[in-house]
Amino acid sequence: MNDFIPSGNGTDTNLNISNDGFYPDLTVDELRNRTGLGSEFKDARIIALAVDAMIEINTTIMSWRQSLNPAYSQLASIPCAAYGDEPEKVHLYKTALCARIRAVVLETTRDYDSTRDGHNKADQLEAVSGTWFRQSAEAIARLTDRNRATIELI
């Protein structure tokens, strides 16, 4: 007799993560697919990270939103190119959101290891999280039609 023991967090991962009405909602499934976050992260943690990222990004681009024509009741109603079934502005918003979530996950889920290898791994993760934060910032800049610049300190 073979037994099957399911793994994962055993919850409905198609849970909706509500945004503020102007910006798009996300589902946990969509977020996992876009970030590569697996079942080792519980739905509740994913939802909390998403809400934190929504608040941060929505606050960051608040002045841009306030400068828009009031006729645009949702981000998806702003005229722009579409890629597949998704307007460019919606795609960029979701990219900014998911990249920020991935960066925060990388920064906050390090294992404690005080060996030299542990420090090297932490340094590598920090560089990777910086890449995700930069991707989020680039998506926000493109979403809000801001000029982008990359500046590296030497």
Side-chain angles (χ1 to χ4, degrees), residues 109-150:
T109 57
R110 295 181 184 182
D111 290 333
Y112 181 79
D113 185 348
S114 62
T115 64
R116 183 169 22 137
D117 288 342
H119 288 293
N120 291 341
K121 183 178 178 184
D123 290 344
Q124 290 170 349
L125 286 175
E126 186 174 329
V128 172
S129 70
T131 300
W132 284 97
F133 275 123
R134 187 171 49 256
Q135 183 180 6
S136 179
E138 288 175 357
I140 289 170
R142 190 168 305 280
L143 168 68
T144 60
D145 301 316
R146 273 194 340 241
N147 292 328
R148 299 179 307 145
T150 302

Short mmCIF file of all heavy atoms in Angstrom, two decimals, residues 109-150:
data_model
loop_
_atom_site.label_atom_id
_atom_site.label_comp_id
_atom_site.label_asym_id
_atom_site.label_seq_id
_atom_site.Cartn_x
_atom_site.Cartn_y
_atom_site.Cartn_z
N THR A 109 14.77 36.81 5.74
CA THR A 109 14.71 35.36 5.99
C THR A 109 16.08 34.72 6.03
O THR A 109 16.21 33.53 5.80
CB THR A 109 13.84 34.64 4.94
OG1 THR A 109 14.36 34.91 3.65
CG2 THR A 109 12.41 35.05 5.04
N ARG A 110 17.09 35.47 6.35
CA ARG A 110 18.44 34.91 6.46
C ARG A 110 18.52 34.02 7.70
O ARG A 110 17.99 34.34 8.75
CB ARG A 110 19.47 36.01 6.60
CG ARG A 110 19.58 36.87 5.40
CD ARG A 110 20.64 37.89 5.64
NE ARG A 110 20.71 38.80 4.51
CZ ARG A 110 21.58 39.77 4.43
NH1 ARG A 110 22.44 39.98 5.39
NH2 ARG A 110 21.58 40.55 3.38
N ASP A 111 19.21 32.92 7.55
CA ASP A 111 19.49 32.08 8.69
C ASP A 111 20.67 32.67 9.45
O ASP A 111 21.56 33.27 8.85
CB ASP A 111 19.84 30.66 8.25
CG ASP A 111 18.65 29.92 7.69
OD1 ASP A 111 17.51 30.24 8.08
OD2 ASP A 111 18.87 29.03 6.87
N TYR A 112 20.69 32.48 10.75
CA TYR A 112 21.81 32.98 11.54
C TYR A 112 22.94 31.99 11.41
O TYR A 112 22.83 30.82 11.73
CB TYR A 112 21.41 33.14 13.01
CG TYR A 112 22.55 33.65 13.84
CD1 TYR A 112 22.87 35.00 13.83
CD2 TYR A 112 23.33 32.79 14.59
CE1 TYR A 112 23.93 35.48 14.56
CE2 TYR A 112 24.40 33.26 15.33
CZ TYR A 112 24.70 34.60 15.31
OH TYR A 112 25.75 35.07 16.03
N ASP A 113 24.07 32.46 10.92
CA ASP A 113 25.25 31.64 10.76
C ASP A 113 26.45 32.57 10.87
O ASP A 113 26.64 33.43 10.03
CB ASP A 113 25.23 30.93 9.40
CG ASP A 113 26.38 29.96 9.22
OD1 ASP A 113 27.32 29.97 10.03
OD2 ASP A 113 26.34 29.20 8.24
N SER A 114 27.23 32.42 11.93
CA SER A 114 28.34 33.34 12.15
C SER A 114 29.66 32.84 11.57
O SER A 114 30.70 33.44 11.80
CB SER A 114 28.49 33.63 13.65
OG SER A 114 28.79 32.43 14.32
N THR A 115 29.63 31.76 10.81
CA THR A 115 30.85 31.29 10.17
C THR A 115 31.18 32.18 8.98
O THR A 115 30.37 32.99 8.53
CB THR A 115 30.69 29.84 9.68
OG1 THR A 115 29.70 29.81 8.66
CG2 THR A 115 30.30 28.91 10.81
N ARG A 116 32.38 32.02 8.45
CA ARG A 116 32.77 32.82 7.29
C ARG A 116 31.84 32.53 6.11
O ARG A 116 31.44 33.45 5.41
CB ARG A 116 34.22 32.53 6.91
CG ARG A 116 34.65 33.41 5.75
CD ARG A 116 36.13 33.39 5.45
NE ARG A 116 36.85 32.23 5.92
CZ ARG A 116 37.77 31.58 5.21
NH1 ARG A 116 38.05 31.99 4.00
NH2 ARG A 116 38.40 30.56 5.70
N ASP A 117 31.49 31.26 5.91
CA ASP A 117 30.57 30.92 4.82
C ASP A 117 29.21 31.59 5.03
O ASP A 117 28.59 32.03 4.07
CB ASP A 117 30.39 29.40 4.72
CG ASP A 117 31.62 28.70 4.17
OD1 ASP A 117 32.48 29.39 3.56
OD2 ASP A 117 31.73 27.48 4.35
N GLY A 118 28.76 31.64 6.28
CA GLY A 118 27.49 32.29 6.58
C GLY A 118 27.52 33.77 6.25
O GLY A 118 26.56 34.32 5.69
N HIS A 119 28.63 34.43 6.58
CA HIS A 119 28.76 35.85 6.26
C HIS A 119 28.82 36.08 4.76
O HIS A 119 28.22 37.03 4.24
CB HIS A 119 30.01 36.45 6.93
CG HIS A 119 29.88 36.61 8.40
ND1 HIS A 119 29.01 37.50 8.98
CD2 HIS A 119 30.49 35.97 9.43
CE1 HIS A 119 29.10 37.42 10.30
NE2 HIS A 119 29.99 36.48 10.60
N ASN A 120 29.53 35.20 4.04
CA ASN A 120 29.61 35.33 2.58
C ASN A 120 28.23 35.15 1.94
O ASN A 120 27.87 35.88 1.03
CB ASN A 120 30.59 34.32 2.01
CG ASN A 120 32.03 34.64 2.37
OD1 ASN A 120 32.34 35.77 2.75
ND2 ASN A 120 32.90 33.65 2.28
N LYS A 121 27.48 34.17 2.45
CA LYS A 121 26.14 33.94 1.91
C LYS A 121 25.24 35.15 2.19
O LYS A 121 24.48 35.58 1.32
CB LYS A 121 25.53 32.68 2.53
CG LYS A 121 24.16 32.35 1.98
CD LYS A 121 23.61 31.07 2.59
CE LYS A 121 22.23 30.79 2.06
NZ LYS A 121 21.62 29.62 2.69
N ALA A 122 25.34 35.73 3.37
CA ALA A 122 24.54 36.92 3.71
C ALA A 122 24.90 38.07 2.80
O ALA A 122 24.03 38.82 2.35
CB ALA A 122 24.76 37.29 5.17
N ASP A 123 26.19 38.24 2.49
CA ASP A 123 26.61 39.31 1.58
C ASP A 123 26.04 39.09 0.18
O ASP A 123 25.61 40.04 -0.48
CB ASP A 123 28.14 39.38 1.50
CG ASP A 123 28.77 39.90 2.78
OD1 ASP A 123 28.03 40.49 3.61
OD2 ASP A 123 29.99 39.70 2.97
N GLN A 124 26.02 37.84 -0.28
CA GLN A 124 25.46 37.54 -1.59
C GLN A 124 23.96 37.83 -1.62
O GLN A 124 23.45 38.38 -2.59
CB GLN A 124 25.72 36.08 -1.96
CG GLN A 124 27.17 35.78 -2.24
CD GLN A 124 27.44 34.29 -2.37
OE1 GLN A 124 26.59 33.45 -2.06
NE2 GLN A 124 28.64 33.96 -2.82
N LEU A 125 23.26 37.44 -0.55
CA LEU A 125 21.82 37.71 -0.49
C LEU A 125 21.53 39.20 -0.48
O LEU A 125 20.56 39.67 -1.07
CB LEU A 125 21.20 37.04 0.73
CG LEU A 125 21.02 35.53 0.67
CD1 LEU A 125 20.52 35.00 2.00
CD2 LEU A 125 20.10 35.13 -0.46
N GLU A 126 22.38 39.97 0.20
CA GLU A 126 22.19 41.42 0.24
C GLU A 126 22.30 42.01 -1.16
O GLU A 126 21.52 42.87 -1.54
CB GLU A 126 23.21 42.06 1.18
CG GLU A 126 22.98 43.55 1.38
CD GLU A 126 23.91 44.13 2.42
OE1 GLU A 126 24.29 43.42 3.35
OE2 GLU A 126 24.24 45.32 2.27
N ALA A 127 23.28 41.53 -1.93
CA ALA A 127 23.43 42.01 -3.30
C ALA A 127 22.20 41.64 -4.14
O ALA A 127 21.72 42.45 -4.93
CB ALA A 127 24.69 41.43 -3.92
N VAL A 128 21.69 40.44 -3.94
CA VAL A 128 20.52 40.00 -4.69
C VAL A 128 19.29 40.81 -4.29
O VAL A 128 18.51 41.23 -5.15
CB VAL A 128 20.27 38.48 -4.49
CG1 VAL A 128 18.96 38.06 -5.10
CG2 VAL A 128 21.42 37.69 -5.10
N SER A 129 19.12 41.08 -3.00
CA SER A 129 17.96 41.87 -2.58
C SER A 129 18.07 43.28 -3.15
O SER A 129 17.06 43.88 -3.53
CB SER A 129 17.81 41.89 -1.06
OG SER A 129 18.84 42.64 -0.45
N GLY A 130 19.27 43.81 -3.26
CA GLY A 130 19.46 45.12 -3.88
C GLY A 130 19.02 45.13 -5.33
O GLY A 130 18.44 46.12 -5.81
N THR A 131 19.25 44.04 -6.02
CA THR A 131 18.81 43.92 -7.42
C THR A 131 17.28 43.95 -7.51
O THR A 131 16.71 44.61 -8.37
CB THR A 131 19.35 42.61 -8.05
OG1 THR A 131 20.78 42.65 -8.00
CG2 THR A 131 18.88 42.44 -9.48
N TRP A 132 16.62 43.26 -6.58
CA TRP A 132 15.15 43.25 -6.58
C TRP A 132 14.60 44.64 -6.23
O TRP A 132 13.62 45.10 -6.82
CB TRP A 132 14.62 42.20 -5.61
CG TRP A 132 14.73 40.80 -6.15
CD1 TRP A 132 15.73 39.90 -5.88
CD2 TRP A 132 13.85 40.13 -7.05
NE1 TRP A 132 15.50 38.73 -6.56
CE2 TRP A 132 14.35 38.84 -7.28
CE3 TRP A 132 12.67 40.51 -7.69
CZ2 TRP A 132 13.73 37.92 -8.11
CZ3 TRP A 132 12.03 39.59 -8.51
CH2 TRP A 132 12.56 38.32 -8.72
N PHE A 133 15.22 45.32 -5.25
CA PHE A 133 14.79 46.69 -4.93
C PHE A 133 14.98 47.62 -6.13
O PHE A 133 14.15 48.46 -6.42
CB PHE A 133 15.55 47.24 -3.71
CG PHE A 133 14.96 46.86 -2.39
CD1 PHE A 133 15.73 46.20 -1.45
CD2 PHE A 133 13.64 47.17 -2.06
CE1 PHE A 133 15.20 45.84 -0.21
CE2 PHE A 133 13.10 46.82 -0.84
CZ PHE A 133 13.88 46.16 0.09
N ARG A 134 16.10 47.46 -6.83
CA ARG A 134 16.36 48.28 -8.02
C ARG A 134 15.32 48.00 -9.11
O ARG A 134 14.82 48.92 -9.76
CB ARG A 134 17.78 48.02 -8.54
CG ARG A 134 18.19 48.94 -9.65
CD ARG A 134 19.68 48.84 -10.01
NE ARG A 134 20.16 47.48 -10.21
CZ ARG A 134 20.91 46.80 -9.34
NH1 ARG A 134 21.26 47.34 -8.19
NH2 ARG A 134 21.31 45.58 -9.61
N GLN A 135 14.97 46.74 -9.29
CA GLN A 135 13.94 46.39 -10.28
C GLN A 135 12.61 47.04 -9.91
O GLN A 135 11.90 47.54 -10.77
CB GLN A 135 13.79 44.88 -10.39
CG GLN A 135 12.80 44.46 -11.46
CD GLN A 135 12.65 42.95 -11.56
OE1 GLN A 135 13.21 42.19 -10.76
NE2 GLN A 135 11.88 42.51 -12.53
N SER A 136 12.28 47.05 -8.63
CA SER A 136 11.05 47.70 -8.16
C SER A 136 11.10 49.19 -8.46
O SER A 136 10.13 49.77 -8.97
CB SER A 136 10.87 47.45 -6.66
OG SER A 136 9.70 48.09 -6.18
N ALA A 137 12.23 49.83 -8.15
CA ALA A 137 12.37 51.27 -8.39
C ALA A 137 12.29 51.61 -9.88
O ALA A 137 11.68 52.62 -10.26
CB ALA A 137 13.69 51.77 -7.81
N GLU A 138 12.87 50.77 -10.72
CA GLU A 138 12.80 51.00 -12.17
C GLU A 138 11.37 50.87 -12.68
O GLU A 138 10.93 51.66 -13.51
CB GLU A 138 13.72 50.03 -12.90
CG GLU A 138 15.18 50.35 -12.72
CD GLU A 138 16.10 49.32 -13.34
OE1 GLU A 138 15.62 48.30 -13.89
OE2 GLU A 138 17.33 49.52 -13.28
N ALA A 139 10.63 49.89 -12.16
CA ALA A 139 9.24 49.73 -12.58
C ALA A 139 8.40 50.92 -12.13
O ALA A 139 7.54 51.41 -12.89
CB ALA A 139 8.66 48.43 -12.02
N ILE A 140 8.65 51.44 -10.93
CA ILE A 140 7.93 52.62 -10.45
C ILE A 140 8.26 53.83 -11.32
O ILE A 140 7.36 54.60 -11.69
CB ILE A 140 8.27 52.91 -8.97
CG1 ILE A 140 7.64 51.85 -8.07
CG2 ILE A 140 7.81 54.31 -8.55
CD1 ILE A 140 8.10 51.90 -6.62
N ALA A 141 9.53 54.00 -11.68
CA ALA A 141 9.94 55.13 -12.53
C ALA A 141 9.25 55.06 -13.89
O ALA A 141 8.72 56.05 -14.39
CB ALA A 141 11.45 55.15 -12.70
N ARG A 142 9.22 53.88 -14.48
CA ARG A 142 8.57 53.74 -15.78
C ARG A 142 7.06 53.93 -15.66
O ARG A 142 6.44 54.56 -16.51
CB ARG A 142 8.90 52.38 -16.39
CG ARG A 142 8.47 52.28 -17.83
CD ARG A 142 9.03 51.08 -18.55
NE ARG A 142 10.46 50.94 -18.53
CZ ARG A 142 11.31 51.60 -19.32
NH1 ARG A 142 10.86 52.50 -20.15
NH2 ARG A 142 12.60 51.37 -19.26
N LEU A 143 6.46 53.39 -14.61
CA LEU A 143 5.02 53.54 -14.37
C LEU A 143 4.63 55.01 -14.29
O LEU A 143 3.63 55.44 -14.85
CB LEU A 143 4.63 52.81 -13.07
CG LEU A 143 3.24 53.09 -12.50
CD1 LEU A 143 2.16 52.52 -13.40
CD2 LEU A 143 3.12 52.48 -11.11
N THR A 144 5.43 55.79 -13.59
CA THR A 144 5.10 57.20 -13.34
C THR A 144 5.71 58.14 -14.39
O THR A 144 5.67 59.35 -14.22
CB THR A 144 5.57 57.63 -11.94
OG1 THR A 144 6.98 57.44 -11.84
CG2 THR A 144 4.86 56.83 -10.87
N ASP A 145 6.30 57.56 -15.43
CA ASP A 145 6.91 58.33 -16.52
C ASP A 145 8.04 59.24 -16.04
O ASP A 145 8.27 60.32 -16.58
CB ASP A 145 5.85 59.15 -17.28
CG ASP A 145 4.77 58.27 -17.88
OD1 ASP A 145 5.11 57.23 -18.46
OD2 ASP A 145 3.58 58.63 -17.76
N ARG A 146 8.74 58.80 -15.00
CA ARG A 146 9.91 59.54 -14.50
C ARG A 146 11.15 59.08 -15.25
O ARG A 146 11.26 57.90 -15.62
CB ARG A 146 10.14 59.25 -13.01
CG ARG A 146 9.39 60.12 -12.09
CD ARG A 146 9.89 60.02 -10.65
NE ARG A 146 10.66 58.83 -10.34
CZ ARG A 146 10.30 57.92 -9.43
NH1 ARG A 146 9.20 58.07 -8.74
NH2 ARG A 146 11.05 56.87 -9.20
N ASN A 147 12.07 59.98 -15.44
CA ASN A 147 13.36 59.61 -16.01
C ASN A 147 14.08 58.71 -15.03
O ASN A 147 13.98 58.88 -13.82
CB ASN A 147 14.20 60.85 -16.31
CG ASN A 147 13.62 61.66 -17.44
OD1 ASN A 147 13.00 61.12 -18.34
ND2 ASN A 147 13.81 62.97 -17.38
N ARG A 148 14.83 57.77 -15.58
CA ARG A 148 15.56 56.85 -14.73
C ARG A 148 17.05 57.14 -14.86
O ARG A 148 17.53 57.50 -15.91
CB ARG A 148 15.30 55.40 -15.14
CG ARG A 148 13.85 55.02 -15.03
CD ARG A 148 13.61 53.58 -15.45
NE ARG A 148 14.14 53.31 -16.76
CZ ARG A 148 14.68 52.14 -17.12
NH1 ARG A 148 14.72 51.16 -16.26
NH2 ARG A 148 15.17 51.96 -18.32
N ALA A 149 17.75 56.95 -13.77
CA ALA A 149 19.20 57.10 -13.77
C ALA A 149 19.78 56.06 -12.83
O ALA A 149 19.22 55.77 -11.78
CB ALA A 149 19.60 58.50 -13.30
N THR A 150 20.89 55.50 -13.23
CA THR A 150 21.60 54.57 -12.37
C THR A 150 22.89 55.25 -11.94
O THR A 150 23.70 55.66 -12.78
CB THR A 150 21.91 53.25 -13.12
OG1 THR A 150 20.68 52.70 -13.57
CG2 THR A 150 22.63 52.28 -12.21
#
